[in-house]
Amino acid sequence: MLMTSMRVALGLILSATVASADDAVDYTKHIKPVLRERCYACHGVLKQEGGLRLDTAALAIKGGDSGPAIVASDLALSHLLQRVSATEESERMPPEGEPLKPTEIAAIRAWIAAGAKAPTDEKPERDPRDHWAFKAPVRLAVPVVSDPVWSRNPIDAFIATKHQEMGLTPQRPADKAVWLRRVTLDLIGLPPTLAEREAFLADDSPEAYDNVVARLLDSPQYGERWGRHWMDIWRYSDWWGLGAEVRNSQKHIWHWRDWIIESLNADKGYDQMVREMLAADELYPNDLDKLRASGFLARQYFKFNRTSWLDETVEHTAKSFLGLTFNCAKCHDHKYDPFAQVEYYQMRAIFEPYQVRTDAVPGEIDFEKDGIPRAFDCNLDAQTFLHIRGDDRNPDKNRVIEPKIPAFLGFKPLQIAPVTLPLEAVQPGLRFFVAEAHVQAAEKRRVEAIAAIAVAAKKLAQSEAACRGPVSAIHDLKLAAVLVPIDQAVLEEKIANQRVTTATAKIAEIRAKQLADLQRLTLADATMSCKAAARAERMSALVQADEALSRAELECLKASAAKKPEAENKLTATKTSLAAAQKAVQSPGDTYTPLVGSLKTLENNLENEESRRKPFPATSTGRRTALAHWLTDPANPLPARVAVNHLWNRHFGRPLVPTVFDFGRKGTPPTHPELLDWLAVELVESGWSMKHLHRLIVTSHTYRMSSSNADVSPETIAKDPDNRFLWRSHPRRMEAQLVRDSLLSLSGELDLTRGGPSIPVKEEASKRRSLYYVHSHNEHQKFLSTFDDANVLECYRRAESIVPQQALALENSPLAATAAEKIAARITVTGEDDFIRAAFQTVLCVDPKAEEIAASKDALVEWTTLAKNANRPAAAQKARAALVQALLNHNDFVTVR
């Protein structure tokens, strides 16, 4: 009560202050922004609660169902003032969030008291359908510019036109060496070699730049570089949980990472990549390569709360592909964009049936060791309900929500058709390689058992010979050490023979199951094959139980007096198991355990192992296929724009649309809308080829500009100090992966092996590219974290910090110190000047200036002297390594100029 009274008193004081100076309150500056921010969501163009609109002063004065919201000069009759200043929460407006600030209430009070003056030509909010991002991109004619340098590439024409409109003078082109380093780091994430630098600088042909770009785009390292970019946007994460318990993401999710890299290298269309990520299990249910793509959905897995799992799926599907914040409509209608709360749940309904399973891969039968985590529709009858106020504990079960897309994006309806799945997708054990992997494992055990028979027979023969002769006749101490009692040797030989029988029976069991699995799904009557499989399974269990009994007998013979009771209890249990197995063989029936080619992930912490192995549905809902086709339809106004914006951002360090995951009405408009639309259409018409767009961007004069501020006109800086309109290139700090990979590459240590399981973060000595490290919420590679590694939960744009730990990592870390030594050792020139020049060219890709050479020579002399005084061997080489490490700590090393 005290705080409330103080707030009201403060409001009255401020209102009196503002009211005493009418001219201090301006509707456009002080009132309209508050109404827009806090009131338009319920009283604007999207929605008019109580029939009231507040997006113009005239509409507010007109009022709604309860009469005028504002009465000029009459504070008592102005209901809007009464509601925003109410102290009771049930009466206060806005009903959600913090109340208006006392200064805001005071300004409204003063404005009304002064007559509620507003511009007579004030316009209401525009229809949301007129918002730039919700209309189809239009490829306007490329502007005509007089300067031939700026007319060769369509991108340049658009940029130059904006320069002319703004009165900006663009910078000169960057030096060739600077451009080479920039484009090489951009496209493959590694610095150029000295040989590449020399070849490019010596090439004066008109095709020189194009040839470099072609070489880089054809490099397999391109997919790794841009794979990491898209892994940021699509929230790649290795599994994490508690101990061995998976709670988030999935084991072996690295298959999805490899699919991303391979797809980019093959220049698979962006639209096709999206379709595979959302619906590969419905579109390509038997294509293991494409099934890897649905790791996008498998990554969203959360064991303990299905709603949290689907919330993240809806949120990041919308943000990454559509640039929309659907998550804002979970609890209420979206406050800025034209979709209602129910439409959020309609989007959720598209994903409601899906779960995650892990499919076997050729040659592996242990799902802990490998497998492809993938989505599939599991619970086909799962219903979606609207959660009242977003609370999943309070669903509205009076209405089942059907899968749909938001009406305002209804350029075409969602065309859902159930998908009949092929046999191998329904019964993955039918895949030929599954049975073969089991047979190979059993055959390996059989071969090992056959070899063990000979060993056991030899031991038995030695023991029997020893028993026949006197003890004193055993002179060979090594032989005496391996002798075992004859009863144990007999059992060991018996067990070796039983191992062969067990492995042979296992092979017969697998083959019988393989046939029965197929006939059960293809024949009207598969009784005979099912009985044969059941009999083979029982026989396999019997010989295994028989072998287990022999092992238990051997354990009893070997057991010490203290361990004897435990061994005897185990023997009794195995006898019971053998008796049960013998009984089962007598009446095998016709039921058996099918071959397992896929294992369902636990839906929650209550599901049991038996449920995980229940049969998979023979059909899929087709909902995600419908979404994927709708989303990648060329008529969809958003996905191409969103993709182009991400590509532009990572080439220029700044996106065309600053709010990269929010293209809605709350987001920031594009700096170059015509260029954005032109590129979006170009992407679609090129077959959604990202390599085509890369080539167009990096061969532009815009991309070639210098990042320097030197000699820039004061007028240009004054008009665009933040370089929003690209009158120069924008220098940017290397991402974490670039820093580490560059150190390894320059030192000749980088291992370019591609793909495979993620590298544990504890293996700091690994020389693999950085994107292969485990990347999860629980585990972070230290060096990468120092340089702002991607946020696991959401990373649509990388953060850029400048902290002391970064300098310390380049100065003191074993990685940087070792790299400096190896880089120096690779520069084999003899003269100091030549070494300094080569060091600058290698590390920074620039030629040193005369003063830099002089300073470096002085430093080499001093470092050599210090090393000699400390009696360190190879003092001159130590000094060279120190100079290289100084260059690695230069700002230009971690900066893309």
Side-chain angles (χ1 to χ4, degrees):
M1 286 296 294
L2 178 61
M3 291 300 295
T4 302
S5 299
M6 290 176 64
R7 182 184 294 164
V8 172
L10 178 60
L12 291 172
I13 293 170
L14 289 170
S15 67
T17 303
V18 177
S20 65
D22 295 351
D23 57 347
V25 179
D26 180 273
Y27 169 79
T28 303
K29 293 180 180 179
H30 304 125
I31 308 303
K32 192 177 181 74
V34 175
L35 299 179
R36 181 188 300 113
E37 182 69 24
R38 303 303 307 277
C39 305
Y40 282 12
C42 296
H43 303 285
V45 67
L46 291 177
K47 185 166 57 172
Q48 299 85 44
E49 293 282 356
L52 174 64
R53 286 186 68 164
L54 297 175
D55 47 334
T56 70
L59 289 170
I61 291 170
K62 177 182 177 183
D65 298 344
S66 300
I70 293 170
V71 178
S73 304
D74 195 326
L75 301 178
L77 293 180
S78 294
H79 295 305
L80 182 143
L81 178 62
Q82 295 169 11
R83 297 301 293 273
V84 299
S85 58
T87 56
E88 291 295 328
E89 192 168 331
S90 60
E91 293 291 324
R92 176 178 61 79
M93 289 293 172
E96 296 178 353
E98 293 293 319
L100 264 59
K101 297 175 183 177
T103 52
E104 294 170 337
I105 296 172
I108 293 172
R109 183 188 302 274
W111 173 67
I112 294 173
K117 299 173 183 176
T120 56
D121 59 349
E122 185 186 12
K123 303 294 183 185
E125 280 192 292
R126 295 178 63 187
D127 189 315
R129 289 171 295 187
D130 292 334
H131 181 63
W132 67 269
F134 302 156
K135 295 188 291 186
V138 176
R139 186 203 286 269
L140 297 177
V142 176
V144 176
V145 293
S146 57
D147 188 340
V149 172
W150 289 90
S151 62
R152 298 180 192 136
N153 186 306
I155 290 173
D156 296 331
F158 284 103
I159 297 296
T161 299
K162 186 65 72 171
H163 289 166
Q164 294 170 6
E165 291 176 2
M166 300 284 296
L168 304 174
T169 302
Q171 283 291 68
R172 64 186 182 279
D175 292 340
K176 286 184 73 174
V178 171
W179 179 88
L180 178 66
R181 183 174 189 264
R182 179 191 301 169
V183 75
T184 307
L185 289 170
D186 265 6
L187 291 181
I188 66 171
L190 300 173
T193 65
L194 274 180
E196 290 166 348
R197 180 179 185 274
E198 291 169 2
F200 177 60
L201 294 182
D203 186 353
D204 294 326
S205 70
E207 298 82 19
Y209 286 86
D210 292 346
N211 290 340
V212 168
V213 173
R215 170 176 59 81
L216 295 173
L217 289 176
D218 287 341
S219 166
Q221 281 73 59
Y222 157 77
E224 293 174 319
R225 166 60 166 154
W226 280 85
R228 184 58 258 182
H229 284 320
W230 289 110
M231 286 161 66
D232 284 10
I233 297 161
W234 296 331
R235 296 201 326 142
Y236 174 88
S237 171
D238 291 283
W239 75 274
W240 77 92
L242 182 63
E245 179 190 31
V246 178
R247 295 184 172 184
N248 299 85
S249 190
Q250 290 290 286
K251 291 183 178 179
H252 322 309
I253 200 75
W254 57 266
H255 284 289
W256 174 39
R257 176 246 290 151
D258 286 0
W259 170 86
I260 294 173
I261 294 169
E262 292 166 22
S263 297
L264 292 172
N265 277 333
D267 200 22
K268 183 179 291 185
Y270 175 82
D271 61 332
Q272 180 63 16
M273 292 182 71
V274 172
R275 284 192 290 270
E276 290 180 21
M277 284 192 285
L278 290 175
D281 58 301
E282 294 180 335
L283 294 169
Y284 314 99
N286 271 338
D287 190 328
L288 293 183
D289 281 345
K290 290 184 170 65
L291 284 171
R292 296 178 298 166
S294 68
F296 172 78
L297 293 174
R299 179 265 175 270
Q300 316 295 344
Y301 174 78
F302 177 52
K303 182 176 182 179
F304 295 107
N305 189 299
R306 177 67 172 168
T307 289
S308 296
W309 174 353
L310 290 186
D311 282 347
E312 291 200 357
T313 303
V314 171
E315 175 182 355
H316 296 293
T317 298
K319 283 183 174 179
S320 61
F321 301 134
L322 292 167
L324 291 176
T325 54
F326 276 19
N327 53 301
C328 294
K330 180 189 174 185
C331 305
H332 47 67
D333 293 349
H334 200 287
K335 291 186 177 296
Y336 299 99
D337 296 329
F339 49 93
Q341 183 186 14
V342 69
E343 291 180 308
Y344 172 88
Y345 291 92
Q346 289 171 346
M347 180 64 76
R348 168 177 167 150
I350 295 172
F351 298 101
E352 196 75 61
Y354 103 87
Q355 291 289 334
V356 176
R357 76 191 210 198
T358 301
D359 282 8
V361 294
E364 184 55 70
I365 60 176
D366 187 347
F367 290 103
E368 284 298 307
K369 293 181 178 178
D370 201 359
I372 296 175
R374 47 154 291 193
F376 77 108
D377 272 2
C378 178
N379 305 313
L380 305 186
D381 57 352
Q383 296 180 324
T384 302
F385 302 106
L386 184 146
H387 298 162
I388 298 173
R389 292 186 176 272
D391 186 353
D392 60 349
R393 298 166 300 179
N394 190 18
D396 180 4
K397 294 192 175 182
N398 293 320
R399 175 187 175 190
V400 176
I401 305 298
E402 299 297 327
K404 293 181 181 178
I405 44 90
F408 82 99
L409 288 174
F411 57 88
K412 62 180 286 187
L414 203 62
Q415 298 172 338
I416 300 173
V419 177
T420 300
L421 299 172
L423 294 178
E424 293 87 348
V426 178
Q427 177 59 54
L430 289 176
R431 290 176 178 146
F432 178 75
F433 65 77
V434 173
E436 293 310 302
H438 283 279
V439 168
Q440 288 171 14
E443 181 61 30
K444 180 181 178 182
R445 293 194 296 270
R446 196 177 76 86
V447 171
E448 291 171 348
I450 291 172
I453 291 175
V455 175
K458 182 178 180 181
K459 290 175 67 174
L460 177 59
Q462 290 171 341
S463 296
E464 289 175 338
C467 289
R468 287 194 296 269
V471 175
S472 60
I474 304 176
H475 300 295
D476 189 339
L477 296 179
K478 290 184 178 180
L479 177 61
V482 300
L483 288 177
V484 294
I486 194 166
D487 54 349
Q488 292 183 26
V490 169
L491 268 177
E492 287 182 0
E493 185 186 38
K494 179 181 179 182
I495 291 170
N497 281 281
Q498 286 175 319
R499 286 174 60 193
V500 175
T501 304
T502 300
T504 304
K506 190 66 177 178
I507 294 172
E509 174 194 353
I510 293 164
R511 292 304 186 197
K513 287 182 175 181
Q514 186 180 25
L515 178 61
D517 284 348
L518 178 61
Q519 292 190 352
R520 267 191 320 118
L521 294 174
T522 57
L523 299 181
D525 184 5
T527 304
M528 294 301 294
S529 61
C530 288
K531 285 183 177 180
R535 188 182 309 109
E537 184 175 80
R538 308 297 187 269
M539 283 300 300
S540 181
L542 175 60
V543 297
Q544 189 173 346
D546 197 26
E547 180 187 336
L549 177 62
S550 298
R551 291 183 181 278
E553 290 173 345
L554 179 60
E555 192 174 329
C556 275
L557 291 177
K558 291 181 175 181
S560 64
K563 295 288 185 178
K564 203 76 170 180
E566 180 182 346
E568 289 175 344
N569 288 337
K570 185 175 180 180
L571 177 61
T572 301
T574 55
K575 288 179 179 179
T576 302
S577 297
L578 178 61
Q582 291 169 336
K583 184 177 180 181
V585 166
Q586 295 171 4
S587 302
D590 60 1
T591 60
Y592 66 95
T593 305
L595 293 177
V596 178
S598 183
L599 191 61
K600 177 174 166 290
T601 301
L602 289 169
E603 293 185 23
N604 51 58
N605 58 316
L606 301 177
E607 188 175 20
N608 57 38
E609 286 296 318
E610 183 181 352
S611 175
R612 292 179 70 191
R613 298 172 187 271
K614 65 186 180 183
F616 297 121
T619 61
S620 193
T621 64
R623 296 178 185 181
R624 286 178 287 108
T625 292
L627 174 66
H629 284 306
W630 170 85
L631 200 151
T632 57
D633 190 296
N636 194 321
L638 289 163
R641 281 185 174 124
V642 172
V644 163
N645 197 49
H646 283 305
L647 292 169
W648 187 274
N649 177 39
R650 282 157 177 78
H651 278 304
F652 288 98
R654 292 185 180 182
L656 294 169
V657 182
T659 47
V660 292
F661 61 80
D662 188 0
F663 278 39
R665 297 166 73 234
K666 177 69 170 174
T668 305
T671 53
H672 299 77
E674 296 84 5
L675 174 59
L676 176 66
D677 279 12
W678 193 95
L679 289 171
V681 176
E682 181 73 10
L683 176 65
V684 173
E685 293 187 355
S686 70
W688 298 80
S689 167
M690 285 187 271
K691 284 191 176 182
H692 173 73
L693 227 61
H694 289 307
R695 186 175 291 104
L696 194 62
I697 289 172
V698 300
T699 56
S700 69
H701 189 73
T702 303
Y703 182 83
R704 200 179 293 184
M705 279 192 296
S706 169
S707 64
S708 173
N709 269 332
D711 303 322
V712 66
S713 68
E715 294 79 12
T716 294
I717 291 181
K719 290 176 180 177
D720 186 18
D722 295 326
N723 190 34
R724 292 180 66 239
F725 298 101
L726 291 172
W727 48 268
R728 66 180 177 106
S729 183
H730 184 71
R732 54 198 188 279
R733 222 276 312 282
M734 283 182 176
E735 299 102 57
Q737 285 75 15
L738 257 68
V739 178
R740 180 180 175 276
D741 292 354
S742 293
L743 290 172
L744 292 172
S745 180
L746 292 173
S747 62
E749 293 282 288
L750 185 62
D751 179 355
L752 291 177
T753 302
R754 293 194 303 280
S758 298
I759 305 164
V761 296
K762 63 183 179 182
E763 294 185 15
E764 294 187 16
S766 172
K767 302 297 191 282
R768 297 281 304 281
R769 287 199 73 164
S770 301
L771 86 162
Y772 293 116
Y773 268 116
V774 165
H775 185 70
S776 80
H777 192 51
N778 282 6
E779 298 180 84
H780 305 277
Q781 209 274 345
K782 292 180 181 178
F783 188 89
L784 299 179
S785 295
T786 301
F787 287 91
D788 305 314
D789 198 4
N791 185 315
V792 174
L793 301 180
E794 181 173 302
C795 189
Y796 293 100
R797 288 182 72 177
R798 288 277 182 109
E800 283 191 18
S801 67
I802 300 176
V803 295
Q805 289 86 341
Q806 293 163 354
L808 293 172
L810 288 175
E811 177 65 29
N812 300 323
S813 72
L815 173 65
T818 302
E821 291 176 358
K822 292 185 177 297
I823 293 169
R826 297 182 79 199
I827 302 174
T828 57
V829 295
T830 54
E832 281 190 350
D833 286 21
D834 289 339
F835 174 82
I836 293 167
R837 191 170 291 104
F840 271 78
Q841 292 170 350
T842 300
V843 177
L844 305 180
C845 207
V846 297
D847 290 315
K849 299 174 183 176
E851 56 267 31
E852 290 172 328
I853 293 177
S856 298
K857 290 175 71 172
D858 291 343
L860 285 173
V861 170
E862 185 174 348
W863 283 324
T864 302
T865 301
L866 289 172
K868 287 179 177 178
N869 291 341
N871 295 319
R872 298 180 68 189
Q877 190 60 30
K878 295 291 184 185
R880 286 187 166 196
L883 176 61
V884 170
Q885 189 155 12
L887 294 178
L888 293 176
N889 279 268
H890 195 295
N891 188 52
D892 278 2
F893 172 68
V894 293
T895 304
V896 182
R897 291 290 180 188

